[in-house]
Amino acid sequence: MTRPHLLFVYNADGGPLNALKDLWHKTVSPATYDCQLCAVTYGPLGMRREWREFVRSLPADVTFLHRDELAAQYGVRGVALPAAFVLDGAQVRPWLSATQVREARTLDDLISLVRASLTTTAGPDAGVRPA
């Protein structure tokens, strides 16, 4: 049985200039920053250690993408972000909605959400349940 592949997608574009702009926005005006996934999983020095360790412990392969990368690699556009998806072959299926991710106001909230959304049932989803 293969491990599921989860895609966590930020509501931000990739690249160094965008990263600097996002860091500035999160610092100056965190209440108006549009990516809750980034806000709770990253600090000023990069990905939070607790999140990195949690992701490594998941029974799934995990990839992090920016919205422009999701569009370029999988042709997915016009979906509310941040969100998480299951990669099923070449098909990208919703797993955690933008509403669910946005409601995770802290890193502990997000970790609890991911844990609650994982299942141990075998089958085509191999341990994950779509939203």
Side-chain angles (χ1 to χ4, degrees):
M1 178 179 300
T2 61
R3 290 166 48 102
H5 192 146
L6 304 177
L7 302 175
F8 285 86
V9 184
Y10 303 109
N11 189 28
D13 289 328
L17 290 177
N18 287 317
L20 287 173
K21 179 186 79 165
D22 289 340
L23 176 60
W24 178 83
H25 191 164
K26 284 187 295 187
T27 304
V28 172
S29 185
T32 63
Y33 187 64
D34 286 337
C35 186
Q36 189 63 17
L37 178 60
C38 183
V40 300
T41 62
Y42 272 79
L45 301 177
M47 186 180 281
R48 296 184 191 281
R49 183 178 44 83
E50 183 181 1
W51 176 244
R52 182 180 10 264
E53 290 171 3
F54 171 72
V55 168
R56 285 182 184 154
S57 76
L58 291 174
D61 295 323
V62 178
T63 300
F64 293 93
L65 297 173
H66 296 91
R67 67 178 163 226
D68 58 330
E69 295 164 334
L70 179 67
Q73 293 178 31
Y74 299 102
V76 176
R77 291 174 178 78
V79 296
L81 297 172
F85 303 86
V86 174
L87 182 58
D88 187 8
Q91 184 180 9
V92 175
R93 293 184 293 111
W95 183 55
L96 297 175
S97 71
T99 300
Q100 290 173 295
V101 174
R102 287 178 187 146
E103 289 174 353
R105 302 308 299 169
T106 67
L107 183 56
D108 287 339
D109 291 345
L110 181 60
I111 288 172
S112 294
L113 172 64
V114 171
R115 279 190 178 133
S117 299
L118 291 171
T119 66
T120 57
T121 4
D125 293 333
V128 296
R129 181 184 73 233

